[in-house]
Amino acid sequence: MSHHRAIAAVFVAHGAVAGSLSTRIPWIQEHLHLSPGALGLALLCPSIGAFVGMPMAGRLAYRFGNRAATRVLLALWCAGLALPALSPSPVWLFGAFLLFGASAGMCDVAMNAHAVLLERHLGRSIMSGLHGMWSVGSLAAGGLGALAAHAGIDARIHLGVMSLALLGLGAAAGRGLLPDSGMTGSVRDAPAPRRFALPTRGILVIGLVGFCATFAEGASSNWSAVYLTAVTDAGPGLAAAGYTVFMLCMASARLLGDHVIRRLGPAATVRAGGAVAAVGGVLVVAARTPALGIAGFALVGLGIAVIVPLVIVAAGNAGTTPGEGVAGVATITYLSGLIAPAVTGWVAGALSYPAAFALITCVVVLLTLLAPVLRPSRTAPPERAVRVDAQP
């Protein structure tokens, strides 16, 4: 297995864990007799665990190496898939979700930091395609989970089998990861990062681009179906199709995005993507028919798809070590993804749904203005910048 395919398999496995669990949340709620409020509190725990874990991941990657950290943390994440369904009470479920979120966040940082180093080693963009593979893993596992739920399979059996299968996939992929000694600009060449790495000033600027993109993604993925129902009078099928089209456009654009990045460069790609997403946002605001609304959400998905992968690469190259840079920017984008659905709901309730998505369109426009911060430094040594075919 090539090093590129190995890290791609890691992203697939990580996405498959997330996709598997999401389909069995209703089973867990029914099994533990959770009220909607109790389930909401439980679902906050993974986010809390991730916030606590992510800032520490850079230090772990420095101490043990990105390759080892990625392998161990992926194994913990895959093994943790079975824990929520096995929880005998809500208290145990809260604890399981905290551990699940912490391993998810730390593994996310470690594998993205490894990908930054591998991209630097290869001298070409690969991050967008890797995030596309994450989406493929999540969609495939979600489909299997839906079939298991429809067949009435006990979630403890389903998630236990998936956990073992993904542990095997992760172990096989881990053996193919490029050793740290073979990477240009290994973490061992840099000073030790802080034990709890909050974003630095430089990472905050890069992270603002990711914040805008994740805000638009979180708002669109959570509110597209509701928006189409309330504003365009779409039926349940068409409303659900809006979400599906949005996610498929994002996944497709990420799988193909590296070719665009190599041709245009990071900053020009962000500007072009932001422009496409802004046009989509305008269509969504103006839409009064389901077809126009779905087309708008499709353009939003296409436009923002490659921005977060580019932000991760820029932060990994800007940090003291890739792990510290990725941890800092991941904290920012994770926060954005959490608050975006709530802010969208508040604005929609206070004003209207079109007003809420007009705000999101403004956020996307801001993203295009910030695009130059992702341009690789011309003064940086080769190992600190992503080589592209053309600079904007």
Side-chain angles (χ1 to χ4, degrees), residues 157-224:
I157 297 174
H158 165 227
L159 296 183
V161 171
M162 288 298 298
S163 177
L164 290 174
L166 293 173
L167 276 168
L169 174 61
R175 287 195 294 270
L177 294 176
L178 180 65
D180 295 318
S181 59
M183 289 184 174
T184 304
S186 169
V187 292
R188 295 294 184 181
D189 301 333
R194 294 162 293 167
R195 286 183 172 82
F196 194 84
L198 294 175
T200 62
R201 183 178 300 177
I203 299 301
L204 282 173
V205 177
I206 296 171
L208 183 57
V209 180
F211 184 95
C212 294
T214 308
F215 194 96
E217 178 183 348
S220 298
S221 62
N222 283 275
W223 285 95
S224 57

Short mmCIF file of all heavy atoms in Angstrom, two decimals, residues 157-224:
data_model
loop_
_atom_site.label_atom_id
_atom_site.label_comp_id
_atom_site.label_asym_id
_atom_site.label_seq_id
_atom_site.Cartn_x
_atom_site.Cartn_y
_atom_site.Cartn_z
N ILE A 157 -24.71 -5.03 18.35
CA ILE A 157 -24.10 -5.97 17.40
C ILE A 157 -23.55 -5.21 16.20
O ILE A 157 -22.40 -5.42 15.78
CB ILE A 157 -25.13 -7.01 16.96
CG1 ILE A 157 -25.59 -7.85 18.16
CG2 ILE A 157 -24.56 -7.90 15.86
CD1 ILE A 157 -26.71 -8.82 17.85
N HIS A 158 -24.36 -4.33 15.64
CA HIS A 158 -23.95 -3.58 14.45
C HIS A 158 -22.69 -2.77 14.71
O HIS A 158 -21.70 -2.87 13.97
CB HIS A 158 -25.10 -2.66 14.01
CG HIS A 158 -24.69 -1.60 13.04
ND1 HIS A 158 -25.05 -0.28 13.18
CD2 HIS A 158 -23.91 -1.64 11.92
CE1 HIS A 158 -24.53 0.44 12.21
NE2 HIS A 158 -23.84 -0.35 11.43
N LEU A 159 -22.69 -1.96 15.78
CA LEU A 159 -21.54 -1.10 16.05
C LEU A 159 -20.34 -1.90 16.51
O LEU A 159 -19.19 -1.52 16.25
CB LEU A 159 -21.91 -0.04 17.08
CG LEU A 159 -22.99 0.96 16.63
CD1 LEU A 159 -23.23 2.01 17.71
CD2 LEU A 159 -22.61 1.63 15.31
N GLY A 160 -20.58 -3.03 17.19
CA GLY A 160 -19.46 -3.88 17.59
C GLY A 160 -18.75 -4.49 16.38
O GLY A 160 -17.52 -4.51 16.31
N VAL A 161 -19.55 -4.97 15.42
CA VAL A 161 -18.96 -5.53 14.19
C VAL A 161 -18.23 -4.45 13.41
O VAL A 161 -17.11 -4.66 12.92
CB VAL A 161 -20.06 -6.20 13.34
CG1 VAL A 161 -19.51 -6.59 11.97
CG2 VAL A 161 -20.61 -7.44 14.05
N MET A 162 -18.85 -3.28 13.27
CA MET A 162 -18.20 -2.19 12.56
C MET A 162 -16.92 -1.76 13.25
O MET A 162 -15.91 -1.45 12.59
CB MET A 162 -19.16 -0.99 12.45
CG MET A 162 -20.30 -1.19 11.47
SD MET A 162 -19.76 -1.45 9.76
CE MET A 162 -18.92 0.10 9.41
N SER A 163 -16.93 -1.74 14.57
CA SER A 163 -15.73 -1.36 15.31
C SER A 163 -14.58 -2.30 15.01
O SER A 163 -13.45 -1.87 14.73
CB SER A 163 -16.04 -1.37 16.82
OG SER A 163 -14.87 -1.07 17.57
N LEU A 164 -14.85 -3.61 15.02
CA LEU A 164 -13.80 -4.59 14.73
C LEU A 164 -13.32 -4.47 13.28
O LEU A 164 -12.11 -4.52 13.01
CB LEU A 164 -14.33 -6.00 14.99
CG LEU A 164 -14.58 -6.37 16.46
CD1 LEU A 164 -15.25 -7.73 16.55
CD2 LEU A 164 -13.27 -6.35 17.24
N ALA A 165 -14.25 -4.29 12.35
CA ALA A 165 -13.87 -4.17 10.94
C ALA A 165 -13.02 -2.92 10.70
O ALA A 165 -12.01 -2.97 9.99
CB ALA A 165 -15.12 -4.12 10.07
N LEU A 166 -13.39 -1.81 11.33
CA LEU A 166 -12.65 -0.57 11.14
C LEU A 166 -11.32 -0.60 11.88
O LEU A 166 -10.35 0.03 11.43
CB LEU A 166 -13.50 0.62 11.58
CG LEU A 166 -14.73 0.86 10.70
CD1 LEU A 166 -15.63 1.94 11.29
CD2 LEU A 166 -14.31 1.24 9.28
N LEU A 167 -11.25 -1.32 12.99
CA LEU A 167 -9.95 -1.52 13.64
C LEU A 167 -8.99 -2.25 12.71
O LEU A 167 -7.80 -1.90 12.62
CB LEU A 167 -10.12 -2.32 14.94
CG LEU A 167 -10.50 -1.52 16.19
CD1 LEU A 167 -10.91 -2.48 17.31
CD2 LEU A 167 -9.33 -0.66 16.65
N GLY A 168 -9.51 -3.24 12.01
CA GLY A 168 -8.67 -3.96 11.05
C GLY A 168 -8.23 -3.07 9.90
O GLY A 168 -7.06 -3.09 9.50
N LEU A 169 -9.16 -2.27 9.37
CA LEU A 169 -8.81 -1.35 8.28
C LEU A 169 -7.77 -0.33 8.76
O LEU A 169 -6.79 -0.04 8.06
CB LEU A 169 -10.06 -0.62 7.78
CG LEU A 169 -9.82 0.49 6.75
CD1 LEU A 169 -9.17 -0.05 5.49
CD2 LEU A 169 -11.15 1.19 6.42
N GLY A 170 -7.98 0.19 9.97
CA GLY A 170 -7.04 1.17 10.52
C GLY A 170 -5.66 0.58 10.75
O GLY A 170 -4.65 1.24 10.48
N ALA A 171 -5.61 -0.66 11.23
CA ALA A 171 -4.31 -1.30 11.46
C ALA A 171 -3.57 -1.51 10.15
O ALA A 171 -2.36 -1.28 10.06
CB ALA A 171 -4.52 -2.63 12.19
N ALA A 172 -4.29 -1.96 9.12
CA ALA A 172 -3.66 -2.17 7.81
C ALA A 172 -3.17 -0.85 7.22
O ALA A 172 -2.06 -0.77 6.68
CB ALA A 172 -4.65 -2.84 6.86
N ALA A 173 -3.99 0.19 7.36
CA ALA A 173 -3.59 1.49 6.84
C ALA A 173 -2.41 2.05 7.61
O ALA A 173 -1.49 2.66 7.03
CB ALA A 173 -4.77 2.46 6.91
N GLY A 174 -2.40 1.84 8.92
CA GLY A 174 -1.33 2.38 9.76
C GLY A 174 0.04 1.84 9.38
O GLY A 174 1.04 2.56 9.44
N ARG A 175 0.08 0.57 8.96
CA ARG A 175 1.37 -0.01 8.57
C ARG A 175 1.92 0.63 7.31
O ARG A 175 3.14 0.59 7.07
CB ARG A 175 1.21 -1.52 8.37
CG ARG A 175 1.06 -2.31 9.67
CD ARG A 175 1.26 -3.79 9.43
NE ARG A 175 0.22 -4.35 8.58
CZ ARG A 175 -0.93 -4.86 9.04
NH1 ARG A 175 -1.17 -4.87 10.34
NH2 ARG A 175 -1.82 -5.35 8.20
N GLY A 176 1.04 1.21 6.49
CA GLY A 176 1.49 1.82 5.25
C GLY A 176 1.83 3.29 5.34
O GLY A 176 2.26 3.89 4.37
N LEU A 177 1.60 3.89 6.53
CA LEU A 177 1.89 5.32 6.68
C LEU A 177 3.39 5.58 6.58
O LEU A 177 4.20 4.78 7.05
CB LEU A 177 1.37 5.83 8.03
CG LEU A 177 -0.15 5.82 8.22
CD1 LEU A 177 -0.50 6.25 9.64
CD2 LEU A 177 -0.84 6.72 7.20
N LEU A 178 3.73 6.70 5.99
CA LEU A 178 5.14 7.08 5.84
C LEU A 178 5.77 7.32 7.20
O LEU A 178 5.24 8.10 8.00
CB LEU A 178 5.25 8.34 4.99
CG LEU A 178 6.66 8.88 4.74
CD1 LEU A 178 7.47 7.88 3.92
CD2 LEU A 178 6.59 10.21 4.01
N PRO A 179 6.88 6.65 7.53
CA PRO A 179 7.54 6.89 8.82
C PRO A 179 7.99 8.35 8.95
O PRO A 179 8.31 9.01 7.95
CB PRO A 179 8.74 5.94 8.79
CG PRO A 179 8.39 4.92 7.77
CD PRO A 179 7.55 5.61 6.75
N ASP A 180 8.01 8.84 10.17
CA ASP A 180 8.42 10.23 10.40
C ASP A 180 9.83 10.49 9.90
O ASP A 180 10.14 11.59 9.43
CB ASP A 180 8.34 10.57 11.89
CG ASP A 180 6.90 10.52 12.39
OD1 ASP A 180 6.01 11.01 11.67
OD2 ASP A 180 6.67 9.99 13.49
N SER A 181 10.69 9.49 9.97
CA SER A 181 12.07 9.68 9.53
C SER A 181 12.17 9.92 8.03
O SER A 181 13.16 10.48 7.54
CB SER A 181 12.91 8.46 9.90
OG SER A 181 12.38 7.29 9.29
N GLY A 182 11.15 9.51 7.28
CA GLY A 182 11.18 9.69 5.83
C GLY A 182 10.54 10.98 5.36
O GLY A 182 10.48 11.24 4.17
N MET A 183 10.05 11.79 6.31
CA MET A 183 9.33 13.00 5.95
C MET A 183 10.24 14.21 5.98
O MET A 183 11.09 14.34 6.86
CB MET A 183 8.16 13.24 6.90
CG MET A 183 7.02 12.26 6.74
SD MET A 183 5.66 12.69 7.83
CE MET A 183 4.41 11.52 7.30
N THR A 184 10.02 15.10 5.03
CA THR A 184 10.70 16.38 5.03
C THR A 184 10.10 17.26 6.10
O THR A 184 8.89 17.39 6.19
CB THR A 184 10.55 17.09 3.67
OG1 THR A 184 11.03 16.22 2.66
CG2 THR A 184 11.30 18.39 3.65
N GLY A 185 10.93 17.88 6.93
CA GLY A 185 10.42 18.76 7.97
C GLY A 185 9.70 18.01 9.06
O GLY A 185 8.63 18.40 9.49
N SER A 186 10.24 16.89 9.50
CA SER A 186 9.63 16.09 10.55
C SER A 186 9.44 16.92 11.81
O SER A 186 10.15 17.90 12.06
CB SER A 186 10.53 14.88 10.87
OG SER A 186 10.09 14.24 12.04
N VAL A 187 8.47 16.52 12.64
CA VAL A 187 8.21 17.25 13.88
C VAL A 187 9.43 17.25 14.78
O VAL A 187 9.59 18.15 15.61
CB VAL A 187 7.00 16.64 14.63
CG1 VAL A 187 5.73 16.86 13.87
CG2 VAL A 187 7.21 15.15 14.90
N ARG A 188 10.30 16.28 14.64
CA ARG A 188 11.50 16.24 15.48
C ARG A 188 12.48 17.37 15.14
O ARG A 188 13.37 17.66 15.92
CB ARG A 188 12.21 14.89 15.30
CG ARG A 188 11.40 13.71 15.79
CD ARG A 188 11.20 13.76 17.29
NE ARG A 188 10.50 12.60 17.79
CZ ARG A 188 10.18 12.40 19.06
NH1 ARG A 188 10.49 13.32 19.95
NH2 ARG A 188 9.54 11.32 19.43
N ASP A 189 12.30 17.99 13.96
CA ASP A 189 13.18 19.08 13.57
C ASP A 189 12.77 20.40 14.18
O ASP A 189 13.45 21.40 14.02
CB ASP A 189 13.18 19.23 12.04
CG ASP A 189 13.65 17.95 11.35
OD1 ASP A 189 14.42 17.21 11.99
OD2 ASP A 189 13.25 17.72 10.20
N ALA A 190 11.62 20.44 14.88
CA ALA A 190 11.08 21.70 15.40
C ALA A 190 11.11 21.68 16.93
O ALA A 190 11.23 20.62 17.55
CB ALA A 190 9.65 21.88 14.93
N PRO A 191 11.01 22.86 17.57
CA PRO A 191 10.93 22.91 19.03
C PRO A 191 9.67 22.21 19.51
O PRO A 191 8.67 22.11 18.79
CB PRO A 191 10.87 24.41 19.33
CG PRO A 191 11.36 25.08 18.09
CD PRO A 191 11.00 24.18 16.95
N ALA A 192 9.71 21.73 20.74
CA ALA A 192 8.55 21.04 21.31
C ALA A 192 7.37 21.99 21.43
O ALA A 192 7.51 23.11 21.91
CB ALA A 192 8.90 20.48 22.69
N PRO A 193 6.19 21.59 20.97
CA PRO A 193 5.01 22.46 21.09
C PRO A 193 4.52 22.48 22.54
O PRO A 193 4.91 21.66 23.37
CB PRO A 193 3.99 21.79 20.18
CG PRO A 193 4.38 20.35 20.17
CD PRO A 193 5.88 20.33 20.29
N ARG A 194 3.62 23.39 22.82
CA ARG A 194 3.03 23.47 24.15
C ARG A 194 2.17 22.24 24.43
O ARG A 194 1.64 21.61 23.52
CB ARG A 194 2.18 24.74 24.27
CG ARG A 194 2.98 26.03 24.19
CD ARG A 194 2.08 27.20 23.88
NE ARG A 194 1.54 27.08 22.52
CZ ARG A 194 0.53 27.83 22.06
NH1 ARG A 194 -0.03 28.73 22.85
NH2 ARG A 194 0.10 27.69 20.82
N ARG A 195 2.02 21.92 25.72
CA ARG A 195 1.23 20.75 26.07
C ARG A 195 -0.24 20.94 25.75
O ARG A 195 -0.96 20.00 25.44
CB ARG A 195 1.40 20.43 27.56
CG ARG A 195 2.75 19.81 27.89
CD ARG A 195 2.85 19.45 29.37
NE ARG A 195 4.05 18.68 29.64
CZ ARG A 195 5.25 19.20 29.82
NH1 ARG A 195 5.41 20.53 29.74
NH2 ARG A 195 6.30 18.44 30.05
N PHE A 196 -0.71 22.18 25.85
CA PHE A 196 -2.11 22.49 25.54
C PHE A 196 -2.10 23.66 24.58
O PHE A 196 -1.99 24.82 24.97
CB PHE A 196 -2.89 22.84 26.82
CG PHE A 196 -4.38 22.83 26.65
CD1 PHE A 196 -5.08 21.65 26.75
CD2 PHE A 196 -5.08 24.00 26.38
CE1 PHE A 196 -6.47 21.63 26.60
CE2 PHE A 196 -6.46 23.99 26.23
CZ PHE A 196 -7.16 22.80 26.35
N ALA A 197 -2.14 23.38 23.28
CA ALA A 197 -1.84 24.37 22.24
C ALA A 197 -3.09 25.11 21.80
O ALA A 197 -3.84 24.63 20.95
CB ALA A 197 -1.19 23.69 21.04
N LEU A 198 -3.35 26.29 22.40
CA LEU A 198 -4.38 27.17 21.89
C LEU A 198 -3.86 27.91 20.66
O LEU A 198 -2.65 28.05 20.50
CB LEU A 198 -4.81 28.16 22.98
CG LEU A 198 -5.51 27.53 24.19
CD1 LEU A 198 -5.78 28.59 25.25
CD2 LEU A 198 -6.79 26.83 23.79
N PRO A 199 -4.75 28.39 19.79
CA PRO A 199 -4.29 29.02 18.55
C PRO A 199 -3.42 30.25 18.79
O PRO A 199 -3.73 31.08 19.65
CB PRO A 199 -5.60 29.41 17.85
CG PRO A 199 -6.64 28.53 18.45
CD PRO A 199 -6.21 28.29 19.86
N THR A 200 -2.35 30.37 18.03
CA THR A 200 -1.51 31.57 18.07
C THR A 200 -2.15 32.65 17.20
O THR A 200 -3.12 32.41 16.50
CB THR A 200 -0.11 31.26 17.55
OG1 THR A 200 -0.22 30.84 16.17
CG2 THR A 200 0.55 30.15 18.36
N ARG A 201 -1.56 33.85 17.20
CA ARG A 201 -2.13 34.95 16.42
C ARG A 201 -2.14 34.61 14.93
O ARG A 201 -3.12 34.86 14.24
CB ARG A 201 -1.33 36.23 16.67
CG ARG A 201 -1.89 37.44 15.94
CD ARG A 201 -1.08 38.68 16.25
NE ARG A 201 -1.08 38.97 17.68
CZ ARG A 201 -0.40 39.97 18.25
NH1 ARG A 201 0.37 40.76 17.48
NH2 ARG A 201 -0.47 40.19 19.55
N GLY A 202 -1.04 34.04 14.43
CA GLY A 202 -1.00 33.68 13.02
C GLY A 202 -2.02 32.62 12.66
O GLY A 202 -2.66 32.69 11.59
N ILE A 203 -2.22 31.65 13.54
CA ILE A 203 -3.21 30.60 13.29
C ILE A 203 -4.62 31.17 13.35
O ILE A 203 -5.51 30.72 12.62
CB ILE A 203 -3.03 29.45 14.30
CG1 ILE A 203 -1.65 28.81 14.15
CG2 ILE A 203 -4.12 28.39 14.12
CD1 ILE A 203 -1.36 28.24 12.80
N LEU A 204 -4.84 32.16 14.21
CA LEU A 204 -6.17 32.76 14.31
C LEU A 204 -6.60 33.39 12.99
O LEU A 204 -7.76 33.27 12.59
CB LEU A 204 -6.18 33.82 15.41
CG LEU A 204 -6.26 33.32 16.86
CD1 LEU A 204 -6.08 34.47 17.83
CD2 LEU A 204 -7.61 32.63 17.10
N VAL A 205 -5.67 34.04 12.30
CA VAL A 205 -6.01 34.67 11.02
C VAL A 205 -6.37 33.60 9.99
O VAL A 205 -7.38 33.72 9.27
CB VAL A 205 -4.83 35.52 10.51
CG1 VAL A 205 -5.16 36.11 9.14
CG2 VAL A 205 -4.51 36.63 11.50
N ILE A 206 -5.57 32.54 9.92
CA ILE A 206 -5.88 31.44 9.01
C ILE A 206 -7.19 30.77 9.44
O ILE A 206 -8.04 30.43 8.60
CB ILE A 206 -4.73 30.41 9.00
CG1 ILE A 206 -3.46 31.05 8.43
CG2 ILE A 206 -5.12 29.17 8.19
CD1 ILE A 206 -2.23 30.19 8.58
N GLY A 207 -7.35 30.61 10.75
CA GLY A 207 -8.54 29.96 11.27
C GLY A 207 -9.82 30.73 10.96
O GLY A 207 -10.90 30.13 10.86
N LEU A 208 -9.73 32.06 10.80
CA LEU A 208 -10.92 32.84 10.48
C LEU A 208 -11.49 32.43 9.12
O LEU A 208 -12.71 32.41 8.93
CB LEU A 208 -10.57 34.33 10.50
CG LEU A 208 -11.74 35.30 10.25
CD1 LEU A 208 -12.86 35.07 11.25
CD2 LEU A 208 -11.25 36.74 10.31
N VAL A 209 -10.61 32.09 8.17
CA VAL A 209 -11.08 31.59 6.87
C VAL A 209 -11.84 30.28 7.08
O VAL A 209 -12.93 30.08 6.53
CB VAL A 209 -9.89 31.38 5.91
CG1 VAL A 209 -10.39 30.87 4.56
CG2 VAL A 209 -9.11 32.67 5.73
N GLY A 210 -11.24 29.38 7.87
CA GLY A 210 -11.91 28.12 8.15
C GLY A 210 -13.21 28.31 8.92
O GLY A 210 -14.19 27.59 8.70
N PHE A 211 -13.22 29.30 9.83
CA PHE A 211 -14.44 29.60 10.59
C PHE A 211 -15.58 29.96 9.64
O PHE A 211 -16.70 29.46 9.78
CB PHE A 211 -14.16 30.76 11.55
CG PHE A 211 -15.32 31.10 12.45
CD1 PHE A 211 -15.40 30.57 13.73
CD2 PHE A 211 -16.33 31.96 12.02
CE1 PHE A 211 -16.48 30.88 14.56
CE2 PHE A 211 -17.40 32.27 12.84
CZ PHE A 211 -17.48 31.74 14.11
N CYS A 212 -15.29 30.82 8.66
CA CYS A 212 -16.32 31.24 7.70
C CYS A 212 -16.84 30.06 6.89
O CYS A 212 -18.05 29.89 6.70
CB CYS A 212 -15.77 32.31 6.78
SG CYS A 212 -15.37 33.88 7.60
N ALA A 213 -15.91 29.23 6.39
CA ALA A 213 -16.32 28.09 5.56
C ALA A 213 -17.13 27.08 6.38
O ALA A 213 -18.17 26.57 5.91
CB ALA A 213 -15.09 27.41 4.97
N THR A 214 -16.68 26.80 7.60
CA THR A 214 -17.39 25.83 8.43
C THR A 214 -18.73 26.37 8.87
O THR A 214 -19.70 25.61 9.03
CB THR A 214 -16.54 25.46 9.65
OG1 THR A 214 -15.23 25.08 9.22
CG2 THR A 214 -17.16 24.32 10.43
N PHE A 215 -18.81 27.68 9.07
CA PHE A 215 -20.10 28.30 9.43
C PHE A 215 -21.12 28.08 8.32
O PHE A 215 -22.26 27.67 8.58
CB PHE A 215 -19.90 29.79 9.69
CG PHE A 215 -21.05 30.46 10.37
CD1 PHE A 215 -21.05 30.63 11.75
CD2 PHE A 215 -22.15 30.91 9.65
CE1 PHE A 215 -22.12 31.24 12.39
CE2 PHE A 215 -23.22 31.51 10.28
CZ PHE A 215 -23.21 31.69 11.66
N ALA A 216 -20.70 28.33 7.08
CA ALA A 216 -21.61 28.12 5.95
C ALA A 216 -21.98 26.65 5.80
O ALA A 216 -23.14 26.31 5.51
CB ALA A 216 -20.96 28.63 4.67
N GLU A 217 -21.00 25.76 6.02
CA GLU A 217 -21.27 24.33 5.92
C GLU A 217 -22.24 23.87 6.99
O GLU A 217 -23.22 23.15 6.72
CB GLU A 217 -19.96 23.54 6.02
CG GLU A 217 -20.16 22.04 5.97
CD GLU A 217 -18.86 21.27 6.14
OE1 GLU A 217 -17.78 21.89 6.09
OE2 GLU A 217 -18.93 20.04 6.34
N GLY A 218 -21.98 24.27 8.24
CA GLY A 218 -22.84 23.84 9.34
C GLY A 218 -24.26 24.35 9.20
O GLY A 218 -25.23 23.62 9.44
N ALA A 219 -24.39 25.62 8.80
CA ALA A 219 -25.73 26.18 8.63
C ALA A 219 -26.48 25.49 7.50
O ALA A 219 -27.67 25.15 7.64
CB ALA A 219 -25.62 27.67 8.36
N SER A 220 -25.81 25.26 6.38
CA SER A 220 -26.47 24.66 5.23
C SER A 220 -26.85 23.21 5.48
O SER A 220 -27.96 22.77 5.14
CB SER A 220 -25.55 24.75 4.00
OG SER A 220 -25.29 26.10 3.67
N SER A 221 -25.95 22.44 6.08
CA SER A 221 -26.24 21.02 6.29
C SER A 221 -27.35 20.82 7.30
O SER A 221 -28.16 19.89 7.17
CB SER A 221 -24.97 20.28 6.74
OG SER A 221 -24.50 20.78 7.97
N ASN A 222 -27.44 21.70 8.30
CA ASN A 222 -28.45 21.53 9.34
C ASN A 222 -29.79 22.16 9.00
O ASN A 222 -30.83 21.74 9.53
CB ASN A 222 -27.94 22.11 10.66
CG ASN A 222 -26.93 21.22 11.36
OD1 ASN A 222 -27.29 20.32 12.10
ND2 ASN A 222 -25.65 21.46 11.10
N TRP A 223 -29.79 23.19 8.16
CA TRP A 223 -31.01 23.95 7.92
C TRP A 223 -31.53 23.86 6.49
O TRP A 223 -32.59 24.42 6.20
CB TRP A 223 -30.77 25.41 8.28
CG TRP A 223 -30.74 25.65 9.76
CD1 TRP A 223 -29.64 25.70 10.56
CD2 TRP A 223 -31.87 25.82 10.62
NE1 TRP A 223 -30.01 25.90 11.87
CE2 TRP A 223 -31.36 25.99 11.94
CE3 TRP A 223 -33.24 25.87 10.42
CZ2 TRP A 223 -32.19 26.19 13.03
CZ3 TRP A 223 -34.08 26.07 11.52
CH2 TRP A 223 -33.55 26.23 12.80
N SER A 224 -30.82 23.19 5.59
CA SER A 224 -31.27 23.16 4.20
C SER A 224 -32.66 22.55 4.05
O SER A 224 -33.53 23.11 3.37
CB SER A 224 -30.26 22.39 3.33
OG SER A 224 -30.08 21.07 3.82
#
